[in-house]
Amino acid sequence: IAVSGNNISIDGCVIYRTGNRGIQVSESGDLFSLESGNVKITNCHISEPSKKNGNNGGNAIGVDRNNVGVRIENNVIHNTWNNAVIYNGMENLITNNEIYNCMNDSSDGGAIYTGRTWGSWGNVISENYIHDYGTDKNIHLAAGIYLDDVCTGSTVKNNIIYPNNLADGYGIFVNLGQYHKLSDNIIVQGKRAIYYPMLSENVSARNLDACRETLGYVPYTSTIYMNKYPNIKTVAENYLTSKQLKHNYEVSGNKTVNSSINVSDKTNVRNNTEKTAEGFDNLNLQSLTDAVVKTGIVSNDDLVQKYKINDMGITSGYRIDTERMSFGLTYPENGEPCAETDTELSWEKAVFADKYRYMVSEKQDFSELTADGYTADTNVKISGLLKNKKYYWKVTAVNSSD
């Protein structure tokens, strides 16, 4: 779906296996007056929005730099090879979404991503549940929220981020940005809960030139901008007159479990809480929030009222029950004698499946298992079988949504 214009609602859509991006928004609103274009993307289910193509793959939702006031709310987004949501522009809102199983075949990205712009301010990312992202293929990093390449002016608050078992997963990664506010997020597990490295004089000239170019798209010296976003002019003048970038950000009230906050400039870092606890592997949202409450860093009332855990994901319209999706086993025939000690099992793809659980047994009731595991592919090689022995196998489609 590609939209351009104002007062557009995309609601209750199911978008599956498109060739590139699932939804694209451009030229909505007025960058000069900051009047919202009133584009809303709500209650949509988006899965596999592009072909498998590493860092060049498409995203579920893309918002260009020439937009004002796009609202992305109460969607379920999963199975993306690259970033799930990529945004630019002014005063956009990304809230109450469930995003998971993204960054599956790329690196240096995030479930929600922006970067390389100084003309993007007033954007808010709040009350999202982001979980189970990235794989061991991520060469560089995978983040829940990634503010990249010296970008500016986003507020990230009240999100719950859970990379789960991804050892190199980051909660919020800020690559040399300015004037961001990161507050009251709950981040569990991962390499770093929040990583905000030191600004240096060795920032890529290509990135700085790209940021400087984006200033040409917004009238940052106008009265409207000077009243509402005076720091755009500050950023521009610091760079244009002295080639300097300065730390100006706030990291406050964030709560982490089994992960640390690593921020270079501690000037505006305050009231963050870090805890260490056991029992945080492979949890759904209910189990995760119960375990977080037990650590004492947040109350049940706060989870409902402040983090809005009951409002995350699709709240109205059609939601697919993946357990009812049917698919077939293709090879080999069930219960036939095994021809080789190493045998490949293959099956059809199930719509909206994030992964598959396969089981192999000598017994038809599967009371004892010869092999048991998970894969994101539609085939798996089983080793160590006995030739001419009968085996039974089955596969279950799994969707990681909570």
Side-chain angles (χ1 to χ4, degrees):
I1 299 173
V3 300
S4 176
N6 299 333
N7 301 315
I8 299 169
S9 177
I10 303 171
D11 183 70
C13 295
V14 176
I15 300 172
Y16 176 61
R17 301 200 83 182
T18 54
N20 201 321
R21 191 164 283 175
I23 298 174
Q24 175 69 36
V25 184
S26 59
E27 298 182 4
S28 170
D30 187 343
L31 285 172
F32 288 85
S33 66
L34 291 178
E35 181 178 353
S36 171
N38 194 33
V39 171
K40 299 178 182 178
I41 303 169
T42 54
N43 293 304
C44 292
H45 187 166
I46 307 173
S47 179
E48 295 187 48
S50 71
K51 62 183 179 180
K52 189 174 182 179
N53 194 21
N55 280 4
N56 296 316
N59 322 104
I61 298 174
V63 179
D64 287 347
R65 63 190 173 195
N66 52 0
N67 290 285
V68 181
V70 176
R71 191 178 187 99
I72 302 170
E73 184 174 13
N74 289 118
N75 302 284
V76 170
I77 302 170
H78 62 113
N79 268 359
T80 69
W81 305 114
N82 202 340
N83 312 301
V85 177
I86 185 167
Y87 73 91
N88 277 298
M90 301 289 293
E91 299 181 355
N92 301 301
L93 175 64
I94 303 170
T95 186
N96 291 134
N97 302 284
E98 182 184 4
I99 304 174
Y100 60 98
N101 201 39
C102 55
M103 292 294 299
N104 285 335
D105 191 55
S106 59
S107 63
D108 195 16
I112 300 175
Y113 177 93
T114 190
R116 240 178 256 183
T117 175
W118 290 339
S120 183
W121 293 70
N123 296 294
V124 177
I125 304 169
S126 65
E127 292 90 40
N128 299 284
Y129 178 39
I130 304 169
H131 62 100
D132 295 279
Y133 51 86
T135 69
D136 55 8
K137 298 177 184 178
N138 296 116
I139 300 169
H140 181 42
L141 67 92
I145 298 170
Y146 194 170
L147 311 178
D148 196 13
D149 289 339
V150 209
C151 68
T152 51
S154 287
T155 295
V156 179
K157 65 177 183 177
N158 301 350
N159 299 282
I160 299 176
I161 304 175
Y162 177 49
N164 200 358
N165 288 321
L166 183 64
D168 290 331
Y170 289 80
I172 301 171
F173 192 101
V174 185
N175 187 13
L176 310 176
Q178 303 171 86
Y179 294 101
H180 296 303
K181 182 178 181 180
L182 317 178
S183 64
D184 298 294
N185 299 283
I186 297 174
I187 304 165
V188 180
Q189 308 280 63
K191 185 173 184 177
R192 292 282 189 275
I194 297 174
Y195 185 62
Y196 212 135
M198 177 71 74
L199 282 168
S200 72
E201 296 178 358
N202 299 319
V203 177
S204 163
R206 181 184 66 175
N207 291 346
L208 289 174
D209 287 344
C211 289
R212 180 176 56 81
E213 181 184 346
T214 62
L215 292 174
Y217 293 90
V218 294
Y220 64 89
T221 58
S222 70
T223 301
I224 291 174
Y225 276 76
M226 288 298 293
N227 287 338
K228 200 166 187 180
Y229 300 109
N231 290 322
I232 304 181
K233 188 170 183 290
T234 303
V235 170
E237 290 179 346
N238 284 343
Y239 176 67
L240 296 176
T241 60
S242 61
K243 302 294 183 183
Q244 288 185 347
L245 300 172
K246 298 181 180 180
H247 282 290
N248 290 282
Y249 55 75
E250 178 183 326
V251 179
S252 63
N254 299 284
K255 302 161 179 61
T256 76
V257 180
N258 298 339
S259 192
S260 62
I261 296 174
N262 189 331
V263 178
S264 55
D265 187 334
K266 304 294 193 298
T267 305
N268 292 311
V269 179
R270 57 183 181 272
N271 301 326
N272 299 289
T273 304
E274 299 181 23
K275 290 278 188 176
T276 302
E278 296 181 351
F280 279 88
D281 294 333
N282 300 315
L283 303 179
N284 61 26
L285 179 58
Q286 184 61 62
S287 300
L288 176 65
T289 52
D290 287 347
V292 168
V293 168
K294 288 180 180 179
T295 68
I297 62 175
V298 70
S299 68
N300 273 314
D301 286 344
D302 276 346
L303 287 171
V304 173
Q305 297 170 15
K306 185 174 184 177
Y307 293 89
K308 300 181 181 178
I309 62 171
N310 294 331
D311 299 324
M312 293 174 173
I314 294 173
T315 56
S316 65
Y318 182 57
R319 184 165 187 176
I320 292 175
D321 182 356
T322 56
E323 291 185 359
R324 297 181 180 178
M325 293 298 168
S326 61
F327 65 100
L329 308 181
T330 55
Y331 182 84
E333 289 290 333
N334 238 321
E336 70 176 15
C338 184
E340 301 290 340
T341 57
D342 294 341
T343 298
E344 182 173 281
L345 311 179
S346 61
W347 54 90
E348 297 171 348
K349 186 174 182 61
V351 177
F352 297 116
D354 298 317
K355 57 187 175 181
Y356 302 88
R357 182 185 181 187
Y358 58 87
M359 289 175 278
V360 179
S361 177
E362 297 178 20
K363 298 187 177 182
Q364 199 165 3
D365 63 359
F366 292 88
S367 56
E368 296 179 7
L369 297 179
T370 304
D372 183 14
Y374 291 87
T375 180
D377 298 319
T378 54
N379 57 78
V380 65
K381 178 180 267 189
I382 307 297
S383 301
L385 302 177
L386 299 176
K387 276 189 177 183
N388 300 317
K389 190 170 186 64
K390 281 188 177 183
Y391 290 95
Y392 300 91
W393 65 287
K394 64 181 180 180
V395 178
T396 305
V398 177
N399 183 282
S400 304
S401 175
D402 289 289

